[in-house]
C-alpha cells in the first residue's frame, strides 16, 4: 500500500460498504424477472438475479449487448474485419461494483490492463499530466497542486478559498440542497482561478460527464470531483481491456448468465408494459410478450421516457415515475465518436489516451493500435494507426461526418504530425443518450425503486445515495435493483460498495 493510501485510510478514504448483502443463497420459490435493456445496468442486475436462482430474461433492442459499451464487427474496404466500439472507456479503479460484476468472468481482472498517464492537451498551454500522482487524497491533491504548471502559489493566494470549500465537503444531501440550483460554471467562476488552471484542471472534467459546465449542476460537479479525485484511495488511475468489449466482456458475461439459467433476447425492443395479475407483462416489438413478477427498466433516459409514455397503465400504477419522465428523458447534448484507420502513425511518444481542453469539438484522443490487440495487428500489418476521437458534448444538429472532420482538424492543431496521416477508413456516429445533470434536476431524478410494486429502474442517470458515476453508477443501480427483488423474494442480496461517502470537510449531520 502506498504511503498516501495509509494516510488516506486514517482519514477514512477507503472502500465503504453501502449494503453488506447476505441472506439465503437462493430464492426459495420460482421468481420471474424481465430486465429491459442489456447494457451495464441491465446485465449487472440480471447476473446477480440469475446467480440466486431467479428466472431472468433480458430484452435488448440492439443486435448486440452492451449499450453504450457495445462492440460490433465492421468490414473495411480492404476486406479486414475490425471490431468497432461505441467508444473508448476508462475503467477506473474505484468502480467497485462494476468490477465485482466483471470478476464473475475473470476473478483477477487480468483482462484489464493499466493505462499509464492521463495527459490533458491544449493548443494554448503545455500538456498537463493528471496521471502518475500519489493514489490517495489528500496527498494526490497536494501533489497535483504542487507540480501543476497551471497553478502557482500566488494563484492559490488569489483564489476564493471559501468558494472552494464545497468541493472538499461533498455530502449526499447538503451538497444538493445548497448547490443543485447553481451551474458548474458559476461554481468554477466563483473560485477565481486563473484561466489556465481552470482550462487544464477543471474544464475537461465536466465535459467528461457529457454536460456543458454552463448547463451542469454545481452539486453534480462537486459529487463527481469527490468520486474521482477526493474520495477514493485509487486516484485517477484506470485500466482498459486489451481486446474489444464484445470479446472481453459481453461474450463471457452472456455465457455466465446463460450458465445460470438466464435468457438473453437481442434485437427485440420492449414496446410497453402493463399489469398482469399481481405482476407485469412486457410487450416486445416482435409481437411476443413476457410475464414477470418483477421488471427492471435498465434503458437510457430517452428510451425510458418513451417506454413509460407507451405504457398507459403506469399513469395509475406509477404516477410519480410518469411525472418525472419528461424532464429525465431529455438527454445531455449529443456526443460523437469517430474511429479512423490511417496510413502512417503519430509520434511514438503520444499517449494511449489524452483528454483535450478547450477545443470547440474535440474532447479526447485514443490510440487504439497501442491499446487493443486487433487494432495493433492491423497497424503492424499495414504500417498504419487506429485513432479514435470523441466529442462529449457537441453542437446539436451537426451531422456525424461533419463532426468527424472538425475533430480531425482540431487534432492536427494539437499534434501537427496527424496532418500527414492519410485516413483510409472512417466510422463515425453521433448520438444523444447520456443523462443530463442540469441545475435543479436532482430533486426530480428517479431512484431505483419506483412507486409501482415490482418495477425498478437502473442506469447511469438513476439516483444513488452514495457517490457514483457513469459505468459505476450503471452497475451499482443494476445491483441495487436486483437486491430489492431478492430481499422481497427471500434470496441473498449482493454487497454494494462506494468510495468515502462524505467529503473530507463535510459535517456528518444532515
Ligand atoms: C463515447 C462514450 C465514452 C464513454 N466513456 C466512459 C468512460 O471512460 N468511463 C465511464 O465510466 N463511462 C463512460 N461512458 C459512459 C458509459 O458508457 C455509460 O455510463 C454506461 O454504459 C451506461 O450503461 P447503462 O446500462 O446505464 O445504459 P446503456 O448502455 O445506454 O444501456 C441501455 C440499453 O437499453 C437498450 N434499450 C433501449 N431501449 C430499449 C427498449 N425499448 N427495449 C430493449 N432495450 C432497450 C439500449 O439498446 C441499450 O443497450 C462513455 C459513454 C460514451 C457514449
Amino acid at each position: 500500500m502506498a504511503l498516501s493510501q495509509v494516510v488516506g485510510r486514517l482519514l477514512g478514504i477507503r472502500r465503504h460498504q453501502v449494503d453488506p448483502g447476505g441472506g439465503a443463497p437462493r430464492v426459495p420459490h420460482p421468481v420471474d424477472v424481465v430486465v429491459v435493456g442489456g447494457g451495464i445496468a441491465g446485465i449487472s442486475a440480471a447476473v446477480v438475479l440469475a446467480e440466486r436462482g431467479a428466472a431472468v430474461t433480458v430484452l435488448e433492442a440492439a443486435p448486440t449487448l452492451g449499450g453504450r459499451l457495445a462492440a460490433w464487427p465492421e468490414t473495411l474496404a480492404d476486406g479486414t474485419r475490425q471490431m468497432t466500439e461505441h467508444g473508448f472507456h476508462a475503467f477506473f479503479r474505484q468502480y467497485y461494483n462494476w468490477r465485482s460484476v466483471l470478476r464473475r468472468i475473470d476473478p483477477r481482472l487480468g483482462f484489464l490492463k493499466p493505462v499509464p498517464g492521463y495527459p490533458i492537451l491544449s493548443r494554448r498551454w503545455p500538456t498537463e499530466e493528471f496521471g502518475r500522482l500519489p493514489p490517495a487524497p489528500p496527498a494526490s491533491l497536494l501533489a497535483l497542486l504542487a507540480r501543476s504548471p497551471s497553478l502557482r502559489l500566488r494563484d492559490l493566494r488569489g483564489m476564493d478559498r471559501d468558494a472552494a470549500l464545497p468541493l472538499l465537503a461533498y455530502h449526499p444531501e447538503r451538497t444538493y440542497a445548497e448547490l443543485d440550483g447553481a451551474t458548474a460554471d458559476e461554481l468554477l467562476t466563483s473560485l477565481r482561478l486563473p484561466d489556465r488552471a481552470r482550462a487544464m484542471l477543471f474544464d475537461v472534467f465536466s465535459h467528461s460527464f457529457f454536460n456543458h459546465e454552463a448547463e451542469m449542476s454545481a452539486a453534480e460537479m462537486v459529487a463527481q470531483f469527490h468520486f474521482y479525485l477526493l474520495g477514493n484511495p485509487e486516484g485517477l488511475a484506470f485500466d482498459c481491456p486489451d481486446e474489444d468489449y464484445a470479446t472481453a466482456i459481453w461474450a463471457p458475461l452472456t455465457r455466465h448468465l446463460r450458465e445460470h439459467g438466464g435468457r438473453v433476447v437481442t434485437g427485440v425492443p420492449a414496446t410497453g408494459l402493463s399489469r398482469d395479475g399481481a405482476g407485469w407483462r412486457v410487450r416486445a416489438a416482435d409481437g411476443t410478450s413476457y410475464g414477470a413478477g418483477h421488471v427492471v427498466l435498465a434503458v437510457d433516459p430517452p428510451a425510458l421516457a418513451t417506454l413509460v409514455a407507451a405504457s398507459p397503465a403506469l399513469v395509475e400504477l406509477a404516477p410519480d415515475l410518469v411525472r418525472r419522465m419528461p424532464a429525465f428523458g431529455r438527454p445531455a447534448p449529443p456526443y460523437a465518436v469517430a474511429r479512423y484507420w490511417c496510413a502512417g502513425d503519430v509520434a511514438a511518444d503520444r499517449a494511449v489516451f489524452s483528454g483535450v481542453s478547450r477545443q470547440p469539438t474535440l474532447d479526447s484522443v485514443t490510440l487504439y493500435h497501442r491499446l487493443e490487440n486487433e487494432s495493433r495487428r492491423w497497424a503492424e500489418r499495414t504500417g498504419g494507426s487506429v485513432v479514435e476521437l470523441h466529442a462529449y458534448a457537441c453542437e446539436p444538429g451537426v451531422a456525424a461526418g461533419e463532426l468527424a472532420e472538425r475533430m480531425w482538424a482540431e487534432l492536427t492543431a494539437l499534434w501537427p504530425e496527424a496532418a500527414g496521416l492519410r485516413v483510409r477508413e472512417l466510422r463515425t456516429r453521433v448520438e444523444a443518450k447520456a443523462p443530463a445533470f442540469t441545475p435543479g434536476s436532482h430533486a426530480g431524478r428517479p431512484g431505483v425503486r419506483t412507486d409501482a410494486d415490482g418495477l425498478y429502474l437502473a442506469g447511469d442517470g438513476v439516483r444513488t445515495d452514495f457517490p457514483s458515476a457513469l459505468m459505476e453508477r450503471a452497475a451499482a443501480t443494476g445491483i441495487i435493483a436486483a437486491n430489492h427483488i431478492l430481499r422481497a423474494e427471500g434470496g441473498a442480496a449482493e454487497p454494494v460498495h462506494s468510495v468515502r461517502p462524505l467529503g473530507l470537510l463535510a459535517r456528518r449531520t444532515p
Side-chain angles (χ1 to χ4, degrees):
M1 198 188 285
L3 180 61
S4 74
Q5 287 170 312
V6 175
V7 174
R9 223 184 146 75
L10 293 172
L11 298 170
I13 295 165
R14 58 177 167 79
R15 193 167 87 137
H16 281 253
Q17 198 166 61
V18 174
D19 181 344
R26 289 179 72 79
V27 287
H29 46 251
V31 175
D32 289 309
V33 184
V34 170
V35 175
V36 181
I40 294 171
I43 296 299
S44 299
V47 161
V48 169
L49 287 161
E51 286 173 348
R52 273 76 170 176
V56 183
T57 302
V58 177
L59 270 186
E60 166 53 51
T64 49
L65 287 187
R68 278 168 276 158
L69 189 73
W72 57 89
E74 293 272 353
T75 305
L76 306 188
D78 66 4
T80 23
R81 202 193 76 134
Q82 291 273 295
M83 290 302 284
T84 305
E85 285 153 341
H86 204 101
F88 168 86
H89 280 63
F91 291 63
F92 285 91
R93 305 239 168 103
Q94 76 275 28
Y95 285 6
Y96 307 128
N97 300 296
W98 180 212
R99 282 172 178 251
S100 115
V101 172
L102 292 173
R103 280 201 180 86
R104 268 66 176 197
I105 56 172
D106 179 354
R108 297 176 57 213
L109 298 181
F111 72 97
L112 289 177
K113 311 288 182 207
V115 175
Y118 184 174
I120 305 297
L121 312 176
S122 154
R123 216 177 146 168
R124 207 164 142 205
W125 294 292
T127 298
E128 178 92 35
E129 178 58 59
F130 258 102
R132 303 190 185 97
L133 290 166
S140 54
L141 185 65
L142 295 173
L144 181 69
L145 295 179
R147 90 175 183 197
S148 171
S150 303
L151 205 55
R152 309 252 176 243
L153 199 56
R154 66 169 182 280
D155 300 327
L156 285 175
R157 279 198 220 105
M159 249 180 97
D160 183 336
R161 285 186 290 277
D162 285 346
L165 285 182
L167 284 171
L168 303 171
Y170 166 76
H171 185 285
E173 284 138 39
R174 211 177 306 125
T175 294
Y176 288 99
E178 289 169 5
L179 289 173
D180 200 43
T183 66
D185 183 42
E186 285 162 348
L187 176 70
L188 292 176
T189 304
S190 72
L191 300 181
R192 292 206 309 257
L193 283 167
D195 195 39
R196 174 175 173 179
R198 179 163 170 174
M200 300 305 280
L201 301 177
F202 288 88
D203 286 0
V204 178
F205 197 73
S206 52
H207 252 218
S208 305
F209 303 104
F210 301 86
N211 284 246
H212 293 294
E213 276 168 14
E215 293 159 12
M216 180 177 174
S217 146
E220 205 59 44
M221 171 96 172
V222 169
Q224 300 322 338
F225 235 75
H226 177 75
F227 180 60
Y228 285 96
L229 276 175
L230 304 174
N232 79 78
E234 293 85 2
L236 260 187
F238 60 89
D239 309 291
C240 293
D242 59 2
E243 299 290 351
D244 67 87
Y245 305 139
T247 307
I249 296 175
W250 299 114
L253 266 184
T254 307
R255 238 181 351 260
H256 178 84
L257 194 51
R258 290 199 169 125
E259 278 162 15
H260 287 85
R263 189 154 56 130
V264 176
V265 183
T266 53
V268 181
T271 51
L273 64 158
S274 49
R275 262 285 178 223
D276 185 6
W280 296 93
R281 181 142 296 272
V282 179
R283 296 185 304 280
D286 63 357
T288 54
S289 74
Y290 300 80
H294 303 267
V295 173
V296 180
L297 299 179
V299 301
D300 50 90
L304 181 64
T306 305
L307 205 49
V308 169
S311 309
L314 294 181
V315 172
E316 211 169 284
L317 296 168
D320 181 64
L321 175 69
V322 171
R323 208 170 32 245
R324 289 169 191 262
M325 280 306 101
F328 181 70
R330 274 193 291 278
Y335 54 82
V337 178
R339 197 179 281 200
Y340 309 75
W341 284 261
C342 305
D345 197 355
V346 294
D349 61 351
R350 301 302 189 193
V352 169
F353 177 78
S354 307
V356 174
S357 173
R358 295 257 178 103
Q359 287 290 344
T361 315
L362 182 62
D363 281 310
S364 76
V365 189
T366 310
L367 302 179
Y368 262 83
H369 58 299
R370 298 180 192 171
L371 178 75
E372 283 188 4
N373 293 328
E374 192 181 59
S375 299
R376 185 175 288 125
R377 285 192 294 272
W378 184 89
E380 280 166 5
R381 194 162 45 76
T382 61
S385 53
V386 184
V387 180
E388 189 177 275
L389 304 182
H390 291 184
Y392 294 127
C394 48
E395 195 185 323
V398 182
E402 166 67 23
L403 290 167
E405 261 178 47
R406 289 185 194 176
M407 289 194 285
W408 190 261
E410 290 171 25
L411 176 70
T412 61
L414 296 165
W415 291 354
E417 77 273 21
L421 306 186
R422 183 171 58 83
V423 176
R424 294 174 54 164
E425 295 272 345
L426 168 63
R427 297 289 185 278
T428 183
R429 285 183 343 280
V430 60
E431 299 198 42
K433 289 184 178 168
F437 292 95
T438 42
S441 61
H442 185 70
R445 187 167 302 285
V448 170
R449 237 198 156 112
T450 71
D451 48 339
D453 259 4
L455 181 63
Y456 304 93
L457 306 182
D460 64 348
V462 173
R463 201 185 64 239
T464 56
D465 299 329
F466 52 88
S468 69
L470 301 173
M471 289 198 282
E472 173 65 354
R473 190 182 296 210
T477 51
I479 294 172
I480 293 169
N483 282 353
H484 280 303
I485 297 170
L486 290 164
R487 287 209 162 94
E489 299 289 355
E494 171 89 358
V496 177
H497 291 98
S498 110
V499 303
R500 189 184 204 273
L502 292 176
L504 278 176
L505 301 186
R507 279 177 290 122
R508 280 183 190 281
T509 48

